Amino acid sequence: MIYNLPKPWNEPVYSYSLVSPERELLKKELDRQLNTAVEIPLIIGGKEIRKGTVKEIRCPHDHGKVLGTYFEATENEIELAVKAAIAAKEKWKKMAWSDRAAVFQKAASLISTKYRYILNAATMLGQSKNVHQAEIDATCETADFLRFNSYFMQEIYKEQPQYETHIWNRMEYRPLEGFVFAVSPFNFTAIGANLPTAPAMMGNTVVWKPASTSILSNYYFMQLLMEAGIPDGVINFLPSKGSVVSKIVFNDPDFAGIHFTGSTGVFNSMWKTISGNIENYRTYPRIVGETGGKDYVFVDKSADMKAAATGIIRAGFEYQGQKCSACSRVYAPSSKWAELKELLTEMVSRIKMGDVTDFTNFMNAVIDEAAFDSTMKYIDIAKNSKEAEILYGGNGNKTKGYFIEPTIVVTENPHFITMEEEIFAPVVTVYVYDDNNLETALDLVDNTSPYALTGAVFARGRDTLVEISERLSETAGNFYINDKCSGAVVGCQPFGGSRASGTNDKAGSHLNLLRWTSPRTIKENFAPPKDFEYPWMQE
Ligand code: NAD
């Protein structure tokens, strides 16, 4: 039977305006989650396991508030999870692709209906996102990943080699031999969902280690996958310490691939460990990682300054600058700096920050104390440096929650530390360049940081746009023209960067799914030759 999945669509973004029904429903769910302490088990082979160290889940914007507890797996449970993934493999890989797809289609439907407010509220409370940021992440992007990837899987399977006379050539898209390890970051519920499901869709079974600071939303996602009928052991939910789980997983001969998103340092250390163990594996593991960024906005003197300022403010401060695509360095043209500066200060002064349950807040808290402390160190360096000044913000307060003001630093040194290092917080640094010398400024954009994730240019003339776009071609895997450098949508802007930003396997596209298959080419001859001699051998 040949089935056909129709072209997917992007999940509509709800507005949550004052009069909308969704606003009430979400508020109810926020109340429910604030008043129910959940106890989150490990889920291994489809079974809930309550073993390991008990840890608390707290709201970053109100760290006195405990939302629940979770179990952190110890070596025993980690070994169990690996075994469960391997045990589930045979049956799952043999299941018709359409049945596998149906699990994820059903999961997407559950997200856009029953689980919408559950996932959004958990993301708001557990990861400190405002309502809009939670909606576009936990609901829309997550549903999009599942719908688009199912469709891409079908399109990959359709691709078959040429038929020859009497010979049928086929391509069998096998999953990888072994199990896949998915390690996800805190900042997107959707990434937590995509990292284990993309390999699973292609017939792999997975051990999924979520980040400790996004356990709540990730657990609800795991629950909905089970409600969607995912067979036991296909995805094993394993909150655990990175160093402990890595030691076991990377030592296993059946380790077949890592699907990682997180910081460059952690990814580099994983790659080294894998390389060190290379002789022990049954197969060369696939190493897929999307990592850090130092994303820029380049403003040309011809730009619409209001559009540029809006792009900088949104990309710099939405979700407190904790998107891998967040704008953190700006190149401002000298002749227009006065105008841009005024617009930026006016806009940033209107930003309200506070609890996620107050919908008038544009910003909330950074994820935890470590993030707070490390960001304040960078701000202090800027405060104490002769090469920089704080144009706006610069204060933090962690008494109730981890709040850091949206901060704009201006520096005269294009290589100032906050222009080069990823801070992952609401800190944007501006360097004002001499706009009589565009080439030198573009060289700086290219050579300042080791990353190449996202970048945006604001300019008017086509000639200028072409020149900038060509000169900056290696500086970003996602390049934006007259738009902010964040906010990629699945199916529309496949996401990923190069250089120190990752392997650029483009989450939310068929390119990523290709990493989770190890195709077998099958040649079947319907009229095989019956004698070894060829015609050219005759006298
Ligand atoms: P992180 O690197 O601290 O953690 C990511 C995950 O790795 C977590 O689950 C963590 O527990 C785990 N981990 C840490 N050490 C480990 C180890 N030794 N072995 C195994 N797992 C280990 O990153 P984070 O703070 O969660 O997320 C922020 C980072 O992620 C930023 O650098 C950001 O740029 C990056 N990011 C990149 C993208 C992208 O698409 N390029 C998207 C989102 C986030």
Side-chain angles (χ1 to χ4, degrees), residues 295-297 453-457 475-481 483-485:
D295 312 300
Y296 63 84
V297 169
L453 191 52
T454 78
V457 53
T475 61
N478 282 61
F479 186 69
Y480 295 81
I481 297 175
D483 205 348
K484 65 179 167 32
C485 60

Side-chain angles (χ1 to χ4, degrees), residues 181 183-188 191 209-213 240-247 250 258 260-267 269-270 289-293 295 322-325 367 422 424 451 453 495-497 501-502 507:
F181 185 33
V183 180
S184 53
F186 78 84
N187 65 337
F188 277 90
I191 298 179
K209 189 213 111 37
S212 58
T213 36
S240 41
K241 248 204 185 100
S243 51
V244 180
V245 67
S246 284
K247 211 184 253 168
F250 293 141
I258 165 99
F260 174 80
T261 300
S263 56
T264 303
V266 170
F267 188 54
S269 77
M270 287 176 163
E290 299 307 331
T291 56
D295 312 300
Q322 297 172 117
K323 299 188 182 189
C324 45
S325 54
I367 195 69
E422 185 181 48
F424 218 59
Y451 301 106
L453 191 52
F495 194 78
S501 291

Side-chain angles (χ1 to χ4, degrees), residues 337-356:
W337 172 229
E339 184 186 346
L340 185 60
K341 182 171 156 182
E342 199 179 316
L343 284 163
L344 287 173
T345 11
E346 190 280 321
M347 285 184 194
V348 76
S349 68
R350 282 191 278 136
I351 290 181
K352 259 191 78 191
M353 182 169 65
D355 197 295
V356 296

Side-chain angles (χ1 to χ4, degrees), residues 10 21 56 67 86 93 96 115 123 126 172 188 208 230 240 271 281 302 316 341 352 442 455 473 482 484 533:
N10 287 108
E56 284 176 339
L67 295 165
I86 293 170
K93 82 170 192 191
Y115 277 84
T123 303
E172 182 190 1
F188 277 90
W208 171 27
I230 195 159
S240 41
W271 197 307
Y281 303 130
S302 67
K341 182 171 156 182
K352 259 191 78 191
L442 294 175
S473 73
N482 291 320
K484 65 179 167 32
E533 287 187 354

Side-chain angles (χ1 to χ4, degrees), residues 235-514:
I235 292 177
N236 299 280
F237 178 72
L238 195 75
S240 41
K241 248 204 185 100
S243 51
V244 180
V245 67
S246 284
K247 211 184 253 168
I248 295 173
V249 166
F250 293 141
N251 265 318
D252 197 297
D254 284 313
F255 166 66
I258 165 99
H259 201 190
F260 174 80
T261 300
S263 56
T264 303
V266 170
F267 188 54
N268 288 354
S269 77
M270 287 176 163
W271 197 307
K272 282 182 198 151
T273 309
I274 296 167
S275 308
N277 288 340
I278 203 71
E279 262 120 32
N280 305 337
Y281 303 130
R282 200 182 296 284
T283 182
Y284 285 106
R286 299 285 163 94
I287 306 178
V288 177
E290 299 307 331
T291 56
K294 189 71 194 169
D295 312 300
Y296 63 84
V297 169
F298 187 89
V299 186
D300 182 66
K301 61 186 173 196
S302 67
D304 174 337
M305 292 299 150
K306 256 193 178 161
T310 304
I312 293 164
I313 298 289
R314 284 194 171 170
F317 301 127
E318 278 184 325
Y319 193 37
Q320 297 77 261
Q322 297 172 117
K323 299 188 182 189
C324 45
S325 54
C327 163
S328 63
R329 52 184 172 129
V330 171
Y331 296 84
S334 49
S335 65
K336 291 292 171 72
W337 172 229
E339 184 186 346
L340 185 60
K341 182 171 156 182
E342 199 179 316
L343 284 163
L344 287 173
T345 11
E346 190 280 321
M347 285 184 194
V348 76
S349 68
R350 282 191 278 136
I351 290 181
K352 259 191 78 191
M353 182 169 65
D355 197 295
V356 296
T357 53
D358 175 352
F359 285 16
T360 62
N361 287 326
F362 180 81
M363 279 175 58
N364 313 106
V366 298
I367 195 69
D368 57 16
E369 190 167 18
F372 179 93
D373 291 346
S374 100
T375 306
M376 292 314 295
K377 272 189 200 144
Y378 279 106
I379 292 178
D380 283 344
I381 293 175
K383 277 183 178 166
N384 296 323
S385 167
K386 288 200 178 80
E387 294 177 325
E389 63 162 312
I390 307 279
L391 178 66
Y392 192 90
N395 301 304
N397 187 331
K398 60 176 175 180
T399 334
K400 183 160 197 272
Y402 306 110
F403 292 105
I404 298 176
E405 284 177 349
T407 299
I408 302 178
V409 177
V410 183
T411 181
E412 57 195 37
N413 173 6
H415 292 286
F416 190 65
I417 186 167
T418 61
M419 286 295 281
E420 288 193 334
E421 293 184 12
E422 185 181 48
I423 305 175
F424 218 59
V427 180
V428 170
T429 305
V430 181
Y431 170 71
V432 182
Y433 69 90
D434 172 5
D435 57 23
N436 290 315
N437 196 343
L438 185 61
E439 255 176 59
T440 308
L442 294 175
D443 285 348
L444 279 173
V445 179
D446 190 15
N447 300 320
T448 295
S449 114
Y451 301 106
L453 191 52
T454 78
V457 53
F458 284 84
R460 275 207 183 97
R462 203 73 216 169
D463 282 350
T464 314
L465 278 172
V466 169
E467 181 186 347
I468 296 175
S469 170
E470 278 178 4
R471 176 63 192 86
L472 299 183
S473 73
E474 298 300 328
T475 61
N478 282 61
F479 186 69
Y480 295 81
I481 297 175
N482 291 320
D483 205 348
K484 65 179 167 32
C485 60
S486 62
V489 173
V490 175
C492 301
Q493 295 99 25
F495 194 78
S498 50
R499 293 188 180 164
S501 291
T503 53
N504 200 11
D505 287 295
K506 296 294 185 212
S509 82
H510 73 287
L511 296 171
N512 179 278
L513 293 190
L514 284 172

